[in-house]
Amino acid sequence: MKVKIIGLGGVGCSLLKTLPQFLTFWRGHGKEEDGEENKTEMVLIDGDSFEAKNRDRQTFVEVGNKAEVLHASLSQEWPRLWFEAMAEYVTADNVVVLIREGDVLFLAVDNHATRKLVSDRCQELCDVLLISGGNEFTDGNIQVFWRKDGQNMTLPLASEFHKEILYPQDKSPSEMGCEELAERGGEPQLLITNNAVAVAMLNAFYAFLEGKLNYDEVYLDILTGNTRQVQRESYLNHTTT
C-alpha cells in the first residue's frame, strides 16, 4: 500500500496524528521489527514551509519545508513505516509522476485548482482512491473519488455537483509568484474543525478497507454536531467518465 498525503497544513497535520499509528498496526501492514520488507509507504507532499505563526493549527518541531520537517519527525516516531518527502506542490508537470496506479490519496489543500488537477489525474487511472477534505471556520466536507478496474465507483471531485472545482476561479500555489504567495492568507481556520474533517477522511478510508464505503461525500458542522452523508445517484451507474 502506498499512501500519499497532499497538503500538510491544518487538516494534513491532523491526519498525521492518527494515520501512521493506524497503518503501523492495522493487520500487520507495518515493517516487521526483524527487518522484513515493509508493506506500507507514506509519501508526504507539500512545497510550502512551516512558520511560527502556524502553531495554532499545525504540528511541527521546527520551521522549514513541511514535507521534510514531518518526514524527519515521523520517521523517528514510526520506524516500522517507510516515509518519503516530496518538497513540491502538485503541478501539471509532475502530477503524472506523483499520482500513480493503486495510490491511496489524502488531499488536504485549500484551493480548487489543485483539487481539479488531482481529480482529473485520477480519472486517467484504473485503480485509485482519492479522499479530499476541506473546511471553513466551523463547517466542512469531504469528497471520495474511487476508481476500480477503470470505472468510477463514485463521482470525481470535479463534477456538476461541484462547479467551483470543475471550473476553478483560484490558482494553485505553483501558479503564484513570490509576492502572491507571501500575501496569501485565506480565511481563518479552527484546529477543531481541521480535526473533524481529518476524522471524516479517516472514517472513509476505513470504510474503504472494510469494503463498506457507500457514499460520495460527508458534510459536517462542529457547532450543531450535524454530520450528513451523501450518495450521488450516479454512484450506482459506475460510469467511466
Side-chain angles (χ1 to χ4, degrees):
M1 182 184 298
K2 181 168 286 191
V3 177
K4 298 177 178 178
I5 299 89
I6 303 171
L8 302 171
V11 173
C13 284
S14 293
L15 284 168
L16 290 169
K17 294 175 183 176
T18 301
L19 192 54
Q21 183 175 1
F22 173 75
L23 291 174
T24 294
F25 297 105
W26 178 73
R27 297 183 181 176
H29 271 264
K31 181 173 58 179
E32 299 298 330
E33 293 184 358
D34 62 3
E36 290 183 8
E37 183 180 359
N38 177 23
K39 299 177 182 178
T40 304
E41 181 178 352
M42 295 191 69
V43 183
L44 312 175
I45 304 172
D46 201 323
D48 198 8
S49 295
F50 286 122
E51 301 177 47
K53 64 181 181 181
N54 302 142
R55 290 192 183 277
D56 62 329
R57 296 184 302 108
Q58 301 174 15
T59 305
F60 54 95
V61 297
E62 61 180 328
V63 297
N65 174 263
K66 293 178 178 180
E68 293 174 345
V69 169
L70 289 172
H71 175 273
S73 59
L74 292 170
S75 295
Q76 292 185 5
E77 186 176 3
W78 303 105
R80 292 170 61 187
L81 297 175
W82 286 104
F83 289 91
E84 181 179 359
M86 305 295 290
E88 55 189 307
Y89 296 113
V90 178
T91 70
D93 293 329
N94 66 19
V95 67
V96 175
V97 176
L98 292 178
I99 299 176
R100 309 295 291 270
E101 287 287 355
D103 283 349
V104 174
L105 306 169
F106 288 88
L107 182 62
V109 299
D110 61 359
N111 66 93
H112 297 316
T114 300
R115 293 185 181 111
K116 176 172 171 50
L117 178 64
V118 173
S119 178
D120 288 349
R121 168 56 179 161
C122 287
Q123 290 191 75
E124 300 172 350
L125 303 175
C126 288
D127 293 278
V128 67
L129 176 69
L130 168 60
I131 304 173
S132 174
N135 59 271
E136 303 296 337
F137 195 69
T138 60
D139 65 292
N141 77 305
I142 73 164
Q143 293 177 258
V144 180
F145 180 28
W146 173 24
R147 278 181 64 80
K148 179 181 179 182
D149 298 329
Q151 293 186 320
N152 288 355
M153 309 303 290
T154 61
L155 286 177
L157 307 189
S159 73
E160 291 298 321
F161 290 99
H162 285 280
K163 292 186 178 180
E164 74 280 6
I165 302 177
L166 187 60
Y167 307 108
Q169 300 300 308
D170 55 15
K171 294 181 180 180
S172 69
S174 64
E175 298 172 313
M176 297 182 184
C178 294
E179 292 185 3
E180 288 179 291
L181 287 171
E183 295 174 357
R184 187 175 175 224
E187 296 297 324
Q189 294 272 306
L190 183 65
L191 174 62
I192 296 170
T193 316
N194 292 160
N195 285 337
V197 169
V199 168
M201 295 171 75
L202 292 168
N203 289 347
F205 178 49
Y206 184 69
F208 169 78
L209 293 175
E210 293 297 309
K212 297 181 179 180
L213 180 62
N214 61 0
Y215 54 84
D216 294 54
E217 300 185 47
V218 175
Y219 294 89
L220 58 89
D221 188 315
I222 68 167
L223 289 182
T224 64
N226 289 331
T227 301
R228 178 170 61 92
Q229 296 178 350
V230 178
Q231 183 182 43
R232 302 296 185 192
E233 182 178 356
S234 60
Y235 177 94
L236 300 177
N237 297 331
H238 293 184
T239 58
T240 58
T241 60

